[in-house]
Each structure stands twice: as structure tokens, then as C-alpha cells.
Amino acid sequence: MPPRSDEPRRDATGSRRGSSRGAEHREPGVNGISDARAYTPRGRTIREGGGAARTGGGAEQRRTPRSSRSGDPFRPALQVLDGGRTGATRAGRRETAAGGRAGVVRTVSGRPVHEPFDDDDLPAPRRRSGPRRPARPAAARRPVRKPRRPPKLADPRRRLRLGTLLVLALFTTIGIRLVYLQTVSTPAYADGGLASRLAVVELPAPRGAIYDRTGAPLAHSVEARYVFADPTQVKDRAATARLLSPLLGVPASELAGKMKPRKLPGGGWSQFEYLARGVDIDRAKQIVALDLAGIGVHRDERREVPGGDLAANLLGFVSQDMNGLEGLEAKYDDVLEGKPGRKRYEVGQGDLAAPIPGGYSQTTPAQPGSSLELTIDRDVQFRTQRILSEGMAQTRNSVGAAVVMEVGTGDVLAQASFPTYNAADPTKVNSPSDREDAATSFIVDPGSIHKAITYGAALQEGVITPDTTFPVANSINRGGVPFTDTHPANGRTMSIPGMLAFSSNVATIEIADRLGKDRLIDYQKRFGLGQPTGEGMPGEASGRLLPAGEWSGSSYGSVPIGHSVDATPLQMAAAYAAIANGGTYVQPHLIKNVIGPDGRKKPGAAPVTRSVLSPANAAALRRMLEAVTTVDGPDGRATGLAAAVPGYRVAGKTGTGLRYEGGKRQPGEVASFIGMAPAENPRYVVAVFVWSPGGEGGQVAAPAFREMMSFTLRHYRVPPSATNKSPKFEVFPH
């Protein structure tokens, strides 16, 4: 049986055939499937081009859509969305306007559609066999419209993926930031609120002490207290000042002035004013017990100098803040000062302002300063200083200096100055120059003590020998300037020891002429003149040598005898120590050891040494210098007899020089004596310089030397010399 076509059967006129009950002839296109396709959700429509042909005498055909058996009111709309096709079970009931007859027409869709709203499903109608109806002319056919495609909805899966990525990115960023804050920035944030809860206490570091060579303290620090006032809190200034005055030793009027409110330059009022520094702890406790409003006490440090003025010009002093200002305190301030520590800890607030157990706490330990062990011997220093002061009491407005050196080591055992002061109270001086160390800052023409350098250079260069003699006139002229002797030789022949014993200017100038100025200047430098010794004192003067190019005619007469030469007492003492040390120069120094906070000693810098004279020439020169303290006969008395030390052989030289200050010659003279003992094997060198405007220095220098050397020899228990073996000198040999 051949398959049936899906198209419904039509009659000869092209209309669809309805049920078997018969159908009435209708015009094409009226009440057929075309009307169903033209039906829109808006209701009824007129077919394109078919409004003019109507049945029933021109009466307008009206179509009322009927619902299907399910009674679905939305089926027409669904038909439109589905391209105008109806299901196989759909049927349209049309009513005709003429005669009131109604026919049922079934339409079949190309594809069976099962509507969820149908009450029952009917099988598709079968097509009857028979000839096909003729095709409708193209002009009469209704144009086919392509169904409009519904709008494309957004893909929810894409939006879900995008949202998931954004959320993951957000949480990843937050996670990275949290890790950063917990690791890298933890200290910064952890300490953010810590500052308001921290208390800071400074842990003072004591300043290092200064000891003598035996370990006796010359200057050291002790714990003390300072008393301060908060002027904004003081209630009764006058009454408070009266209570504090006897405890602090400060006038009440001065204390009241310090407690007066004071406006700061930057605005606001001062809340801190020192009332006293370095107060004893016992007195500080008494002040605390008074419980005075606006008065406080805090830990302080006080520098104590047990000897008062002992070596004060060497030691110097410090400020109230423990900073070195002068002397060794200033020179070695970086060694002596300690580094304060600090303790930072967390405290509570208000009534609970106490350390929080287990809270934040950080302590930086204080580092005490190192100490200095000097070469100074406290006993020798005291005695030297006392002898110098007693001798200077015979003069007025004078300056004195004394140096005691140990031969061979360059250790300075004593270095005294006059005037001096109390290092514990450095403000009580007549002039700031009173605090200067005269041994390194007192620049003078050395005078005749320079002759030992001239004779030593002549011996070393072979210009003279210990046995050299020659006639000596009473005067000599150089550059139009006459130079005379205080002990005229009257042209007689003199020995070298005699020339030194009588301090002959004329003989010394003649020897220097043979030596030459260049060689003389060279030996001046070898003996340490013209440059600082580097002993360790701050501001040490270098002195000055007259360069060969600046020599005038008179310089050939003045330089050999110690004029036109600038030198310090320490420089000249070091030069004589070279003669005593077998001709080897040893740099003088004050620092023996540096003692660390842990007690370990570190030796000071090794002194500079150099050879100046041969041991034989140095011994010969020492022997000739003994004539200065021994010659006393019919030919005259030597210039240094007052410097002789009983029981010991002494070699030395007297000198009379000038003092220049600011390029101007000062009145009076500079008397000096430098010697060594025992002369046969020198152990110590002592130099004494006294400048007096009245010229009394000559009566002080030699006797002061004798007492200083005598004490030093006994203090170190040096055996007496065999005086019976002292050389016998002949001034005018026959």
C-alpha cells in the first residue's frame, strides 16, 4: 500500500476536505489553512489581497479562532512561533457568515507535534488516494516567510566562569597581602602601638680613670646625683630655694633665679633646669626626703681628682657632661669616655606604671670607658711640683717648668708647671694660661744649654776632640754684633771642659764656624728640635729652627749659643736624654698602658728612637759636662756648682735665654739647668726652666734641679757614685 502524503486532500477547487460528513464549496483561501497562518497574537487579520472576495453576497467573512479540545488559549501564539503549523490532532472549527452552516476542517502538520496541553493524542489522518489537485498559481500563493529566530540567550556557564575567576583573584590578593603583613611587615606593625607603652632608662657608662705608673688614681669617676627643677611645677620658689641652699651649697638667690619660669625660644615653658651637678648621694637622699614640688634627683657622675692640683696641668679637666676639655682628658677623650647603655621595657598605664611581666624588654649594656696608665710617678710628680712651687715663690709673675725623664725608656716620671690649679675646680684661676702645661707650651730661647748640641755635633763630626784646646778671646764679632763672655779668658788657651764650665760664647762660636751652619742645623733636628716630640699632650708646640737661607751675619754668632732658636723645656730635656742614653734619641711619652674595661692592658705606642751620637762621643760629652758642676778653683767657679748633688756625679749645663711672646721680647730672662745623674751611668734627666721678669730665675733653676734629682735618685734607690773617681778638669792647660 503506497504511503500517504502528509498533505491533506483537497477538492477540485483547492479547498481542504473536512470530515466525511461532507463539505460545502468555498472560495479558495477562505477559512482554510492560510487563515490559520495569517493569524497573529493580536487577534484577527485580513489576508493579503483577499479582502475583496467574500462569499455570501460580499459579506465580510470573520473568523473566530476556536480552541482545540484541550481548550488552550495560547495555541494561536504557539502556532505563530512554530511557523504556522498545527499538530496532527488539531482541528479548526469555522463558522460561515452565510446560512449559519459550519464545517469542520482538519489540518495536518508536516511533523506531528505533541502539545503538552492536548487532552488526548489522535493519530494523524490518512490521505485518501486520488488525483492531486492542480497546483495553485504562483500569483495566488501566499509568500512564505522565514520564521524569525528567537533571541540568543546569554550562556550562564561563561558568566559563572568569569565570576569564579574574579572571586579567586580577589581572595588570592587578600591572601598575599596577609602573608606579607604577617612576615615582612610584622615588626613595623607590631611596634606600631609599642612606643606609647615603652619606658626608656639610660644606663650610664662610667668614664675611664687615669692612673700613675704604680696604679694610684690621678683622676677617676664616682657615682653622684644631679638635682633639677621643673619651674612650671614649683609652687613656692623662695621657700624651696631656702631649703635647698644649705644642702647644695648654692646661694638661695641663685637657686630661686634658676627656678624662675623661662620661656623657650621655640615656644612653651622650660620644664627642666639644673640646680646642681655631682651632688653626693647622701645629700641627694635628704633632698628627696623633703618631697618638694617640682624638684627631682637623677643619677649623675662626678670626676674626682684625689691630688687636687697634682699633675693638674697634665691631666686637664672635664665638663659637667663628662667631656674632656683640656689636657690628657681632652687628648684621649675618645678612649676614656664610655658608651651609655639603654633599657627599653613595656610598662602599664596610670596606677599600673610598672614593668609588665613577660612584656617587651630590650637592654643595650653600657660600655665603660678605657683607662690610662701614665708613666708619671705620683710621688716624684708631687715632690717635683712642690720644689718648683717653693722656688717660684721667690719670683713674681713668673712661669716655671720641670721635667723628670727616665733614661733609655723615654718615660716621663714628672712634668710640673707653675702656676698650677685645682683640676677639681678649674674655674678658679687668675688666667686661662695658668692651666697650660708649661713643659710643652713654654717656648723660649734655650740659651747656653743649647751649647751641648753644638759640642756634641763637633765631636761627632771630628771638628774637636775631648783634648782640643785653643786660645779664646774676650769677644767676637759676627754680622756687626759683638758676643762676649761672662768669664773672660783674656786670650788664654782653654780646654773643652773649661769652655763648658765657664760657658764661653766666644769659644762655642769659633767651634760652630768650623762645623758649618748646615751640619749644625742637621744635628739640631737629630736632637729633636724644630718639631713636636709627640709626647701625648694636646697642643704641643713645635718650636722653630732658623733655616740656613734665613741666616744673617749675626746668626753665625747667636744660633750656636742657643739664641735665634725656639724650643720647649721638654724638647731640650729629650735632647739631653739622648746624650745620657749613649747618643740614642728616645721619644718622650706619657702613656704607658691603655687598660680596657675588662682589665686587660695594652701597651702604649712604642717610642721613636734614632742614633744621634756614637756611644763614645756621647760618653766623652757627658764627661766634659761634669765640669759644669765640679770646676771650682783659682781660675774661677763653674756656672753649675749649685746643681751638684751630694754623693752623685752630675753632668749638666746651665743656660740663660730669652722669652718671646707674640713676636715681642719679654722682660727678664729664662734661667735653666738640665743635667743627668749618675754621670758615669745616667739613670735620670731633670730639666728646670724659670722665666722671671725680674731676672731672679738664676737663683731658682740650679738649686731646684739639685733637690729634684736628689729625691728621684733616693726614691728609686740608685746607689751613690764613686765620687773619688770623678774627673779632674783643667780649664787653662799650660
Side-chain angles (χ1 to χ4, degrees), residues 437-444 446 524-525 527-535 537-546 565-572 585 610:
D437 175 57
T440 57
S441 63
F442 189 44
I443 301 176
V444 298
Q524 285 178 325
K525 293 178 180 179
F527 275 105
L529 303 187
Q531 58 187 350
T533 65
E535 177 200 34
M537 286 298 295
E540 180 184 3
S542 61
R544 183 177 182 272
L545 297 178
L546 189 64
V565 178
D566 293 337
T568 65
L570 182 63
Q571 286 175 327
M572 296 306 302
Y585 176 89
R610 57 178 173 269

Side-chain angles (χ1 to χ4, degrees), residues 164-373:
T164 303
L165 289 176
L166 291 176
V167 171
L168 288 176
L170 176 62
F171 277 98
T172 302
T173 304
I174 295 174
I176 294 173
R177 181 61 176 167
L178 287 176
V179 172
Y180 176 81
L181 295 177
Q182 291 293 330
T183 56
V184 180
S185 300
T186 296
Y189 284 96
D191 294 342
L194 192 62
S196 61
R197 304 191 306 273
L198 286 183
V200 180
V201 176
E202 186 170 298
L203 305 177
R207 186 178 178 86
I210 301 178
Y211 303 102
D212 80 334
R213 66 188 299 116
T214 66
L218 299 175
H220 64 101
S221 296
V222 297
E223 184 179 348
R225 299 289 184 268
Y226 66 77
V227 181
F228 67 94
D230 181 352
T232 62
Q233 300 295 325
V234 177
K235 295 180 179 179
D236 189 338
R237 290 189 294 112
T240 302
R242 286 194 299 269
L243 291 172
L244 293 177
S245 179
L247 295 174
L248 298 179
V250 180
S253 58
E254 182 178 342
L255 292 175
K258 292 181 178 180
M259 289 185 283
K260 186 177 181 181
R262 180 173 61 89
K263 198 166 186 178
L264 299 175
W269 297 91
S270 172
Q271 297 180 348
F272 183 92
E273 295 291 339
Y274 280 115
L275 298 182
R277 300 290 302 271
V279 179
D280 291 338
I281 296 178
D282 292 339
R283 291 195 177 187
K285 290 181 179 179
Q286 297 178 29
I287 294 173
V288 172
L290 294 176
D291 194 19
L292 299 173
I295 304 300
V297 175
H298 203 272
R299 183 169 179 170
D300 198 9
E301 185 178 356
R302 183 178 69 245
R303 198 68 167 169
E304 282 195 349
V305 185
D309 63 350
L310 183 67
N313 300 71
L314 278 179
L315 300 177
F317 58 94
V318 299
S319 67
Q320 291 184 337
D321 295 323
M322 294 292 116
N323 296 320
L325 298 181
E326 286 188 10
L328 296 177
E329 294 275 20
K331 175 75 173 182
Y332 297 96
D333 186 60
D334 57 338
V335 176
L336 293 168
E337 71 173 349
K339 295 182 179 179
R342 177 174 293 185
K343 182 177 181 180
R344 303 173 68 206
Y345 57 92
E346 201 171 357
V347 297
Q349 300 293 328
D351 296 337
L352 299 178
I356 298 176
Y360 174 84
S361 179
Q362 184 183 37
T363 302
T364 303
Q367 297 181 9
S370 298
S371 299
L372 297 178
E373 183 179 284

